[in-house]
């Protein structure tokens, strides 16, 4: 996992315990109205794998007691299953009335397969809880939805389509949960177009089938052989089920879907998850998705008809059980149960490893239920790698939406620097290309360690923003990095907004060394894409030219303007110690590494159309497929 030399937050910033948040922080409660009872028999259903007793129904009294349990907190309720509509209209009306009567319930949603939905149900919802939010489970088109069958093994897609059309006619909006399986992997654009084509759909959530650990079919209590279970038996093998995908496959599919979502203009009418959550986190904003928030399993609860209360319903049972509704003594009792639950302790251990990760502020440690499964299989790194890949790809799409092929570059990584700001970015950009612009004298002071800044001190300090026409331009650039800056500004016509020649600080034991780096501020998104592709090409050439102690890293980030508050996408180059090399070897070879980098950048100047090798390789794979 990548390490960061920046100050690290406490693990609680990535996974907040219930007792660490105030009464204004909401909890999510999933009501399994019928447990695992459902009117269809999806082959990949995780709820039925729990093999919990079915047939019972949650009642209004349980809902009232649940509200009292969280009397001091806002509560978001999701009606779930199995299939929640199998609870029946009379019981559903009682439950909705009970929820409507509780002032701390701030949102109620229902996740349904849609097969039972009709005008009578919608009339009931309008009468008893008009603000009810809808979610429909549909895995894309007919082929993608093949794993969702009824007990006779027949497809459910046509009947779900009718439910979506009904919602559209009734001017109701819905989100779609689309499970990503091998049936949709090569058809991201088709799947997005199909789902976004329904008038009622406002959100599409792409969720992965990371089920490689499933090696046995779900048991059946039916006295007759069920065609659906026979289909499942045929799909499950010793290496996992046919519907399972890998984290890398999921990341690639989501990025392809995101590129189509942007280029087709679908983003104007439909929200795509997890893309929107990643975008919000990249922008420093919060999201309601627990996969990208610190409000994880300790703020998610599940209630079953037999009064069992557990943590998130994606965690395995009975390991996720906290207590029962009659036994739990208010929120303090839940906190005590959470502290005793080994499963939650294991998840906190996983989060502790994220504290030193460069992606922590955007990733927020991911889904702990899924990570526990990967950790048990000894493959948590694969989960983390796909999260990083998603973040890197989305950061690219944000910076260069007109050139989505850049998202396949594996050399550029999301590595924002903090702090990274400039007084007036627009003025700096205008001055760079304007020979007549005024250029007042710069404050250049040299530290004993070779730093050039306004204070003449080691470390990160303010430096005046210079351009090549400034009389003090070369005096403001540290000598070791000057050839690299010259190659970029003179040969590539790029704008550099920052540079550092690298400093060991051997005599300052409490000061982290600074590595050689250059920051590039593209003028436009088109230039950003062109520079990123050419720099990836140059980085590929440096791999054989660098001394073994040094490696070139390509980092995407943002430069904030203190005058306007706006952020600008930037490209940062940094020479860092190669894996397994220490600082001593790095600084010993740094002059040689910087010179070779400058030579490579100068040599590639004659190839303005050089394409990113990663994007070329991806295009070749798609052509072969």
């Amino acid at each position: 996992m990548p390490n960061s030399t920046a100050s690290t937050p406490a693990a609680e910033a990535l996974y907040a315990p219930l007792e660490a948040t105030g009464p204004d922080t909401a909890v999510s409660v999933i009501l399994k109205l019928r447990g695992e009872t459902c009117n269809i028999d999806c082959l990949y259903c995780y709820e039925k794998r729990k093999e919990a007793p079915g047939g019972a129904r949650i009642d209004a009294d349980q809902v009232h007691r649940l509200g009292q349990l969280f009397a001091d907190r806002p509560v978001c309720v999701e009606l779930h299953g199995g299939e929640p509509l199998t609870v029946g209209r009379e019981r559903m009306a009682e439950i909705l009335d009970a929820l409507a009567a509780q002032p701390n319930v701030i949102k109620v949603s229902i996740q349904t397969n849609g097969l039972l939905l009709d005008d009578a149900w919608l009339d009931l919802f309008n009468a008893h809880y008009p603000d009810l939010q809808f979610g429909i489970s549909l895995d894309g088109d007919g082929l993608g939805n093949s794993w969702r069958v009824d007990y006779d093994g027949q497809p459910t897609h046509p009947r779900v389509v009718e439910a979506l059309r009904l919602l559209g006619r009734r001017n109701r909006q819905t989100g779609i949960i689309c499970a990503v399986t091998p049936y949709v992997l090569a058809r991201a654009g088709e799947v997005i177009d199909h789902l976004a084509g329904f008038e009622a759909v406002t959100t599409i959530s792409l969720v992965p089938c990371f089920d490689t650990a499933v090696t046995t079919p779900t048991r059946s209590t039916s006295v007759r052989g069920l065609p659906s279970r026979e289909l499942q038996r045929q799909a499950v093998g010793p290496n996992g089920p046919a519907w399972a995908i890998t984290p890398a496959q999921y990341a690639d599919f989501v990025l392809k879907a995101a590129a189509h979502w942007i280029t087709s203009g679908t983003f104007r009418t439909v929200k795509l998850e997890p893309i929107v959550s990643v975008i919000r986190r990249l922008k420093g904003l919060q999201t309601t998705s627990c996969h990208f928030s610190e409000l994880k399993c300790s703020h998610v609860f599940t209630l079953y008809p037999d009064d069992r209360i557990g943590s998130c319903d994606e965690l395995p049972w009975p390991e996720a059980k906290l207590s029962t509704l009659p036994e739990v003594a208010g929120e303090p009792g839940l906190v005590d149960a959470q502290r005793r639950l080994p499963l939650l302790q294991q998840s906190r251990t996983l989060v502790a490893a994220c504290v030193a990760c460069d992606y922590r502020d955007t990733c927020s440690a991911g889904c702990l239920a899924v990570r526990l499964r990967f950790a048990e299989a000894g493959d948590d790194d694969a989960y983390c790698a796909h999260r990083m890949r998603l973040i890197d790809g989305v950061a690219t799409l944000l910076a260069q939406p007109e050139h989505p092929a850049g998202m396949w570059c594996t050399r550029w990584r999301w590595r924002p620097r903090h702090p990274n700001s400039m007084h007036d970015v627009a003025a700096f950009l205008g001055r760079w290309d304007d020979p007549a612009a005024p250029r007042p004298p710069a404050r250049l002071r040299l530290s004993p360690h070779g730093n050039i800044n306004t204070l003449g001190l080691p470390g990160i300090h303010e430096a005046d923003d210079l351009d090549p026409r400034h009389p003090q331009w070369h005096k403001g650039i540290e000598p070791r990095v000057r050839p690299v800056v010259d190659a970029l500004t003179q040969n590539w016509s790029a704008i550099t907004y920052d540079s550092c020649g690298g400093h060991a600080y051997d005599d300052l034991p409490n000061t982290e060394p600074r590595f050689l780096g250059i920051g590039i501020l593209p003028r436009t998104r088109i230039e950003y894409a062109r520079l990123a592709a050419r720099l990836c090409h140059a980085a590929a050439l440096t791999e054989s030219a660098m001394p073994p102690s040094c490696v070139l890293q390509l980092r995407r980030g943002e430069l904030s303007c203190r005058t306007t508050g706006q952020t600008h996408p930037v490209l940062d180059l940094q020479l860092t110690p190669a894996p397994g090399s220490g600082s001593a070897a790095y600084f010993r070879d740094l002059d040689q590494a910087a010179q070779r980098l400058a030579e490579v950048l100068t040599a590639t100047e004659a190839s303005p159309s050089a394409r990113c090798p990663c994007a070329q390789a991806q295009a070749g794979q798609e052509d072969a497929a």
Side-chain angles (χ1 to χ4, degrees), residues 491-562:
N491 296 45
W492 289 44
S493 298
I495 296 177
T496 57
Y497 72 92
D498 184 37
S499 65
C500 174
H503 308 282
Y505 301 137
D506 290 334
D507 58 335
L508 299 176
N510 295 322
T511 304
E512 293 284 345
R514 289 202 67 197
F515 303 134
L516 183 145
I518 307 98
I520 300 174
L521 175 61
R523 297 169 177 83
T524 64
R525 295 194 304 204
I526 293 175
E527 184 180 67
Y528 180 101
R530 178 176 59 83
L531 287 172
R534 290 180 62 192
L535 286 167
C536 177
H537 178 69
L541 297 176
T542 66
E543 290 176 355
S544 60
M546 282 289 139
S549 61
C550 302
V551 64
L552 176 64
Q553 291 191 357
L554 305 183
R555 303 179 166 210
R556 300 188 193 271
E558 290 182 330
L559 176 68
S560 61
C561 178
R562 294 193 295 273

Side-chain angles (χ1 to χ4, degrees), residues 325-349:
L325 195 54
E327 294 173 344
V328 66
E331 187 173 305
L334 285 176
V335 169
D336 289 342
Q338 288 177 337
R339 289 172 176 167
R340 293 192 304 267
L341 196 66
L343 204 61
L344 295 184
Q345 298 302 324
Q346 294 171 28
S347 65
R348 291 188 182 98
T349 301

Side-chain angles (χ1 to χ4, degrees), residues 25-268:
T25 301
V27 295
S28 296
V29 178
I30 302 166
L31 297 184
K32 297 288 186 179
L33 297 189
R34 292 291 308 281
E36 54 84 26
T37 299
C38 190
N39 58 327
I40 63 175
D41 200 26
C42 303
L43 274 59
Y44 56 56
C45 180
Y46 70 89
E47 193 64 43
K48 289 180 180 177
R49 290 202 295 267
K50 297 174 185 177
E51 297 176 350
R57 292 172 169 82
I58 283 179
D59 59 32
D61 180 62
Q62 289 172 297
V63 174
H64 283 298
R65 283 186 287 154
L66 187 67
Q68 296 166 2
L69 181 61
F70 296 106
D72 296 329
R73 283 185 185 268
V75 178
C76 299
V77 174
E78 182 175 4
L79 309 179
H80 210 276
E83 170 52 47
L85 296 186
T86 62
V87 77
R89 290 191 177 91
E90 182 178 351
R91 180 62 59 86
M92 180 68 78
E94 295 171 354
I95 290 170
L96 292 175
D97 288 343
L99 290 169
Q102 298 181 46
N104 61 326
V105 173
I106 60 172
K107 185 179 86 169
V108 179
S109 61
I110 185 168
Q111 186 65 38
T112 171
N113 59 42
L115 269 66
L116 298 177
L117 204 59
D118 58 17
D119 283 301
W121 271 112
L122 294 179
D123 291 341
L124 182 148
F125 295 142
N126 287 339
H128 294 271
Y129 209 100
D131 292 332
L132 181 70
Q133 298 182 13
F134 289 87
I136 299 287
S137 300
L138 181 64
D139 301 343
D141 55 14
L143 176 60
N145 205 62
S146 297
W147 304 110
R148 300 184 62 82
V149 299
D150 61 22
Y151 286 94
D152 290 327
Q154 297 303 305
T156 60
H157 180 266
R159 287 177 282 174
V160 183
V161 166
E162 287 304 314
L164 289 172
R165 290 171 177 165
L166 170 64
L167 289 171
R169 290 194 299 271
R170 295 288 296 262
N171 296 316
R172 298 301 297 255
Q173 297 179 339
T174 185
I176 293 287
I177 289 185
C178 172
V180 179
T181 70
Y183 283 147
V184 302
L185 287 181
R187 303 183 301 110
E190 296 173 44
V191 169
I192 296 302
D193 286 345
H194 179 73
L195 296 176
F198 295 101
E199 181 183 359
V201 173
T202 57
T203 301
I204 301 171
S205 298
L206 304 174
V207 299
C209 275
F210 290 155
D211 284 346
T212 53
V214 176
T215 56
T216 57
T218 305
R219 287 188 299 176
S220 175
T221 57
S222 174
V223 295
R224 66 181 181 91
L226 295 174
S228 56
R229 296 300 167 91
E230 175 59 23
L231 290 174
Q232 189 193 67
R233 187 191 66 77
Q234 295 172 9
V236 176
N239 297 320
W243 62 77
I245 62 170
T246 67
Q249 288 174 323
Y250 175 68
D252 282 355
F253 176 84
V254 172
L255 289 176
K256 289 175 184 176
H260 183 79
W261 176 65
I262 291 173
T263 57
S264 66
T266 306
F267 71 92
R268 296 185 178 92

Side-chain angles (χ1 to χ4, degrees), residues 346-398:
Q346 294 171 28
S347 65
R348 291 188 182 98
T349 301
L350 289 176
V351 170
C354 300
V355 170
C357 178
D358 284 321
Y359 290 81
R360 62 180 178 267
D361 294 336
T362 310
C363 174
S364 296
C367 174
L368 298 182
V370 175
R371 285 189 62 186
L372 284 168
R373 299 203 300 269
F374 277 91
E376 185 177 349
D379 202 17
D380 193 37
D381 287 347
Y383 180 83
C384 293
H386 104 276
R387 298 275 292 184
M388 297 174 192
R389 183 74 195 89
L390 278 175
I391 292 167
D392 290 337
V394 174
T396 304
L397 288 172
L398 280 179

